[in-house]
Amino acid sequence: MIVAFPSARSSALTTLATYDRAYAVAIQKRRETGRPQFVLRTGDPLQPFRVSATGPKREQALMTLIA
């Protein structure tokens, strides 16, 4: 099945799925939890960056560690 995203949604995803947004989320999660947070590059065009309390897994690259 092929799913087409409306252009407005694609535009929103492009805006939200940035390194700067992931970095801001990592800072916020670090303050809230007190645990180090990793900003990871995923290789997925819909979610190119993610924040995790654990290190990179297969096919992910470490971008930043918020210690």
Side-chain angles (χ1 to χ4, degrees):
M1 175 186 348
I2 298 175
V3 178
F5 292 105
S7 62
R9 185 168 179 183
S10 295
S11 176
L13 284 173
T14 302
T15 301
L16 293 173
T18 65
Y19 171 81
D20 291 336
R21 296 269 181 165
Y23 183 83
V25 168
I27 294 289
Q28 181 180 6
K29 287 181 76 172
R30 171 67 172 103
R31 286 184 184 141
E32 290 174 359
T33 66
R35 295 182 63 199
Q37 299 295 318
F38 298 85
V39 178
L40 308 171
R41 182 186 308 249
T42 67
D44 179 354
L46 292 178
Q47 184 187 21
F49 302 99
R50 69 184 286 268
V51 176
S52 176
T54 60
K57 304 222 182 316
R58 223 173 257 240
E59 298 188 22
Q60 296 177 340
L62 176 62
M63 299 298 294
T64 306
L65 168 62
I66 309 298

